[in-house]
Amino acid sequence: MSDSECTMLEADVEDKAMDAAAPFDRPDADMILRTCDNVDFRYYKFLLSLASPFFMNMFALPQPTELASDQTKYGLPIIPVSESSRVMEKLLMFCSPVYDTDVPALDNLDIVMAVLDAADKYDMKRVGKFVVKMIISPHFLEPEPMRVFAITCRYRSEVETRVAARYMLRYAISEPSYVAELDCISGGDYHRLVKYHAKCGQAVPQLINLWSKYPLPQLDCKACRKKGISRLPLKEYQDSVIEALRARPCAETLLNQDWIDAMVKKAGSCTNCRDRAYRNMADFVKEFAEPVDNIISQIELEVKF
C-alpha cells in the first residue's frame, strides 16, 4: 500500500491495528508509532530523539498526564504518522543502532524516494545522507541513471552527483526520458549536466593520437577476405569510433551491440563476423578504457550546492 492510498480509520482503530514484526515489537519500548495502514511500531523515544530533531522537540513538550483509551496501547502512548508501514519499517531500521551491520534493503527508487521524503520530513539528515550514498550502486544506476542523478542533486550530495553524472555519459544526452524527480532540481542543475556531457564529448578527439598504440580490432574474417569483400577503410572506421564516443563519451559505448552491428555491416563482413567482432571489441575495450577514462577524468561536473 502506498502512502497516498493510506487512510486513517476513524473507529475501532486500536482493535484493527496490527503489531509490527520484530524488532519493532519489543515489550520494553516506551512509545508506539501507528502508520497510516494501521500497523503499530513499538520503539524508543531516546533513539528517535537522537535521529530526529523533529521528534526530540516533540518529546520535549509537556506531555498530558492522562491519555484517552484510543491514544494508548499496552500502556504506551500512540503517535499517528502519515507514512505506510513499509516506509516506516525502513526508516526506523536506519535509526536503529544495528543498521551499520545490517543495512536495510531498498528494492527500488520508489521506496528510496518514500524513505527520503520521510527522513526529510522528520529532519533525519544522517539517514538521508546514508540512503543517498546507497543509490549510486549499479542496482539503481544501471536501470534509472537520470532518476539517480536528479535525486542526488535534490539532496545536494556532491560526490554521489558526480558519480551519477559520470554514469550518464553512457547515454546520449537526449536519450534518457523525463522522470518526475527532474521537477525537484533546478534548471541550473540540469544545464550543468548537459554542459559536462558536451565537454566530455568534445575532449574525445584527443584519442586520435593513440591509434598507433591501440589499433582497432578487425571487423571481418579470413572468409570475408577470401571472397574479396572490400574492407571498411581504416580512417572511416576510426572516425566512426570517435563519432560514437563524442555522443556517448565512455568506453562502454564501443560495446553497444547495435553500433558493432552497424560497423560490421559497413565492413561488408559475413554473418559469422558479428559475434567475433563483439568479442574482439570487448578485448580491445579492456585496454582502451584506460585512455578514455584518463581524458574524461580531467573534466569535472560543475556543482553549486
Side-chain angles (χ1 to χ4, degrees):
M1 179 183 294
S2 67
D3 290 346
S4 61
E5 295 172 330
C6 286
T7 55
M8 294 298 294
L9 299 179
E10 297 180 356
D12 298 327
V13 169
E14 183 172 347
D15 293 337
K16 295 183 179 180
M18 298 174 55
D19 289 337
F24 304 112
D25 58 351
R26 294 177 63 92
D28 58 342
D30 57 4
M31 50 87 68
I32 291 174
L33 294 171
R34 176 166 289 169
T35 62
C36 65
D37 51 346
N38 288 317
V39 178
D40 289 339
F41 288 77
R42 281 185 265 185
Y43 206 61
Y44 305 92
K45 292 180 180 179
F46 176 70
L47 291 181
L48 210 51
S49 296
L50 289 178
S52 166
F54 175 94
F55 283 107
M56 179 179 66
N57 293 332
M58 176 189 291
F59 297 143
L61 295 173
Q63 303 298 310
T65 55
E66 293 186 7
L67 294 172
S69 60
D70 62 349
Q71 294 177 311
T72 65
K73 185 177 180 180
Y74 307 128
L76 305 178
I78 297 172
I79 300 175
V81 294
S82 60
E83 286 72 32
S84 68
S85 56
R86 184 182 181 212
V87 173
M88 187 54 60
E89 178 185 15
K90 304 295 185 185
L91 191 68
L92 293 180
M93 287 181 72
F94 278 112
C95 298
S96 301
V98 296
Y99 90 76
D100 286 330
T101 55
D102 187 17
V103 178
L106 299 175
D107 301 327
N108 55 61
L109 288 179
D110 291 334
I111 187 66
V112 165
M113 282 304 302
V115 171
L116 283 174
D117 286 343
D120 193 40
K121 171 182 174 181
Y122 298 121
D123 199 17
M124 297 177 176
K125 291 184 172 59
R126 182 170 179 262
V127 173
K129 289 179 180 179
F130 194 89
V131 173
V132 170
K133 289 180 184 296
M134 292 176 66
I135 66 172
I136 58 171
S137 70
H139 173 72
F140 297 109
L141 264 178
E142 288 181 2
E144 299 182 286
M146 181 59 85
R147 287 187 75 186
V148 172
F149 173 80
I151 293 169
T152 57
C153 264
R154 175 184 175 183
Y155 287 92
R156 321 316 277 170
S157 301
E158 182 174 335
V159 173
E160 289 72 26
T161 298
R162 292 186 190 278
V163 171
R166 179 70 178 266
Y167 197 92
M168 288 290 295
L169 299 178
R170 300 184 181 203
Y171 303 85
I173 195 61
S174 60
E175 282 181 328
S177 58
Y178 164 82
V179 295
E181 287 77 10
L182 286 173
D183 292 337
C184 300
I185 67 175
S186 70
D189 290 331
Y190 185 74
H191 173 75
R192 283 184 280 275
L193 172 65
V194 173
K195 184 178 179 181
Y196 167 72
H197 199 290
K199 288 175 69 175
C200 291
Q202 291 164 4
V204 162
Q206 298 177 39
L207 296 168
I208 292 174
N209 301 322
L210 300 175
W211 292 135
S212 59
K213 184 177 180 180
Y214 298 95
L216 289 165
Q218 293 182 347
L219 294 172
D220 55 2
C221 64
K222 292 180 180 179
C224 296
R225 292 191 287 275
K226 284 182 179 179
K227 293 177 182 178
I229 297 175
S230 59
R231 301 178 63 184
L232 181 70
L234 180 59
K235 179 66 165 58
E236 184 177 346
Y237 186 11
Q238 292 171 341
D239 289 347
S240 296
V241 170
I242 295 299
E243 181 182 353
L245 291 174
R246 282 179 68 97
R248 302 174 185 85
C250 62
E252 288 79 8
T253 296
L254 303 183
L255 295 179
N256 182 282
Q257 189 68 62
D258 291 339
W259 180 80
I260 293 176
D261 288 348
M263 289 294 98
V264 170
K265 186 175 181 180
K266 280 186 178 183
S269 306
C270 69
T271 56
N272 293 327
C273 288
R274 190 176 79 167
D275 291 340
R276 183 183 294 105
Y278 185 88
R279 290 194 299 271
N280 291 343
M281 189 61 73
D283 292 338
F284 169 74
V285 167
K286 288 179 183 178
E287 296 184 1
F288 198 55
E290 182 179 354
V292 173
D293 287 344
N294 288 341
I295 289 173
I296 300 305
S297 295
Q298 296 175 26
I299 303 167
E300 287 194 353
L301 173 75
E302 295 179 20
V303 290
K304 294 186 178 180
F305 294 165

